[in-house]
Amino acid sequence: MNGPDIYDRLGVTKVINARSWVTALGGSIMRPEVFAAMEEAGQHFIDMDELMAAGGKVVARACGAEAGMVCAGAAAGNLLMAAAAITGTDRAKVDQIPDTTGMKNEFVIFKSQRNAYDHAFETPGGKLVEVGMPQSATPYQLEAAIGENTAAVIYTLAPFLPRPLTLEETIEIGHAADVPVLVDASAEVPPADNLTKPMRLGADMVTYSGGKGICGPQNSGLLAGRADLIEAAFLNYLPGGPRVGIARPAKVSKETIIGLVTAIELFLDSDQESIWAGWRQKCDVVVDRLRGIPGLRVVIEENENRQGPQPVIYMESEWSGPPAAEVRKQLAEGDPPIMIGSGGYGDELNVVMVNVRPGEDKIIADRLHEILTS
Ligand SMILES: *Cc1c(COP(=O)(O)O)cnc(C)c1O
C-alpha cells in the first residue's frame, strides 16, 4: 500500500494548503533528508532513555536553554510544562497527579490569550485563572492574579492572539513573585531567531511544534527550559517507577526523535532569506493576476499577525462580486480544493504561502481570478 496515489486509494482528497501549518490540513511537508533519517532510525534498536537525552540536548541548544526534551507536539509541550510546574521533581507528586491535593495548581492566563490548546494545561490537574480584559491587561492585574496557589504564568505567542503585556513584562512580574513563566510559542518559527528569544528574555520553559515551520514530523515538538523543570518534565513522561507519567499517552518514537533532530538541523542551516523570497515571489503571482479588478484592494502584507508574506484581498465598499465567505466556499469546493486563510482583521481574503508548493501559486491565482470576475 504505497505509491503516489496512496490517498486516492483510501478515498481521501488531496488539497492545496494555503492556510498555513494547520494540523487540520496535515501540518507541513518533511524534507527528503528527514524521511531518510527516519527510515534509517527505524532499522535499529537503541536505549530510548539515551536517545531521549541526546534529542533533548539538540533541542536545548536550538532554543538556547539549559535543558530540553523532544515531545509529541506543542500541545504535549503544554501538558508537560504544566505537569512539571505542578510536581517539580517530587516523585510522589508525579504519581499523584491529576489529583493536586497539597500542590500549587493554578495557571494564570491572559483572558485575551485563551486558545484551543490551553486545555492541555488542565490535563495534569491544572486550573486556569484568567487575568485581564477580553483584549488587554495591565501589570497590576497580573500582579494581583498571582497568589499562593499559582504554579506558573502562561504566555502564548501566536499570530492570531493579542499580546496584552509583553513577554518581558510578564516575566518580570512572574519572577518578582517567584513564579515561573511558561511559553507556548508553537508556530512562532520561522524566523529562526524566535527559537532562542523566550529563553533570552528569561522565560522558564518554552514549547514549539516540530511539525509546523520547522517541517519535522507532525507529531513532534520541542520543549526547553530550566534544567530542574525539564527534569520534572522527563519524570512526568517516564519516571522509571511503578507508574508511567501523566504525559506518557503523548509518547514519541525513535523515528520521531531522529526526524525532529534532523529537521531542526536543516532548519537552522537553511537560508531563511531565500525561503522568504520564494514566498514573496508566490505572492507576486497572485497579486499580478488580480490587479485591476474593480472594488478590490490587493496588497502583500508581512507582519507578526501574518504567517510569512501573504497576498491579502480587501473588498471595498463598491465591491459587487461574491462576499469573502462565498469565495472561500467556492475555492474549497473546487478541484483541487484550495484552502486559504481565515482572514485575521475582518472579512479579508488571505493566502498563506508557507505550505504552497511549486506551481500551486498559479493554480490559486487563476482560480481566485475566475471566482472574483464571474
Ligand atoms: C498549533 C498550536 C498548538 C499545537 O501544536 P501541536 O504541535 O500541533 O501539538 C499549540 N499552541 C498553539 C498556539 C498553536 O498554534
Side-chain angles (χ1 to χ4, degrees), residues 89-100:
T89 53
D90 185 329
R91 293 283 293 273
K93 290 181 176 172
V94 167
D95 282 352
Q96 188 188 311
I97 57 171
D99 171 359
T100 57

Side-chain angles (χ1 to χ4, degrees), residues 23 72-76 78 115 117 156-158 160 184 186-187 209-210 212 220:
T23 299
N78 287 347
N115 66 89
Y117 304 99
T156 306
L157 288 164
F160 55 88
D184 174 356
S186 165
S209 292
K212 290 184 177 171
S220 70

Side-chain angles (χ1 to χ4, degrees), residues 9 56 167 321:
R9 278 194 245 166
L167 178 56

Side-chain angles (χ1 to χ4, degrees), residues 52-316:
M52 283 293 288
K57 276 189 193 144
V58 174
V59 168
R61 215 179 309 129
C63 298
E66 257 173 21
M69 175 176 173
V70 176
C71 60
N78 287 347
L79 195 174
L80 282 158
M81 293 196 294
I86 291 172
T87 65
T89 53
D90 185 329
R91 293 283 293 273
K93 290 181 176 172
V94 167
D95 282 352
Q96 188 188 311
I97 57 171
D99 171 359
T100 57
T101 309
M103 308 173 209
K104 296 179 182 187
N105 73 331
E106 289 180 2
F107 293 97
V108 175
I109 185 169
F110 293 111
K111 198 183 196 67
S112 56
Q113 291 193 342
R114 289 298 309 269
N115 66 89
Y117 304 99
D118 60 34
H119 203 165
F121 289 95
E122 295 178 321
T123 311
K127 188 165 161 278
L128 297 176
V129 175
E130 288 185 3
V131 58
M133 280 84 72
Q135 288 298 318
S136 62
T138 61
Y140 73 79
Q141 286 177 318
L142 179 57
E143 281 162 13
I146 297 173
E148 288 212 323
N149 273 321
T150 305
V153 175
I154 298 170
Y155 198 95
T156 306
L157 288 164
F160 55 88
L161 288 176
R163 298 170 188 194
L165 299 183
T166 63
L167 178 56
E168 291 93 317
E169 289 171 308
T170 305
I171 290 169
E172 197 182 317
I173 293 167
H175 287 183
D178 215 9
V179 162
V181 176
L182 314 177
V183 182
D184 174 356
S186 165
E188 285 296 290
V189 284
D193 195 43
N194 279 356
L195 264 183
T196 49
K197 196 172 166 193
M199 285 298 131
R200 278 202 310 272
L201 296 179
D204 297 273
M205 290 185 109
V206 63
T207 187
Y208 298 88
S209 292
K212 290 184 177 171
I214 296 170
C215 297
Q218 240 294 279
N219 58 345
S220 70
L222 296 78
L223 177 63
R226 259 167 48 194
D228 61 316
L229 287 170
I230 294 295
E231 187 189 340
F234 269 104
L235 285 175
N236 278 288
Y237 180 67
L238 285 179
R243 299 191 91 186
V244 296
I246 198 148
R248 173 59 175 73
K251 84 169 178 186
V252 287
S253 67
K254 59 188 183 300
E255 296 84 0
T256 294
I257 297 171
I258 293 292
L260 179 65
V261 163
T262 310
I264 291 172
E265 285 166 353
L266 288 167
F267 175 75
L268 294 177
D269 275 351
S270 62
D271 178 358
Q272 299 290 321
E273 271 308 308
S274 75
I275 291 172
W276 278 66
W279 292 339
R280 271 190 216 106
Q281 266 173 12
K282 291 187 173 121
C283 294
D284 288 339
V285 170
V286 172
V287 171
D288 287 348
R289 189 79 178 94
L290 301 182
R291 186 162 289 140
I293 301 177
L296 294 182
R297 187 164 62 85
V298 186
V299 292
I300 296 178
E301 289 186 3
E302 206 174 317
N303 59 55
E304 66 176 18
N305 296 317
R306 301 272 182 211
Q307 216 116 46
Q310 303 177 13
V312 184
I313 304 161
Y314 291 96
M315 292 162 171
E316 311 273 64

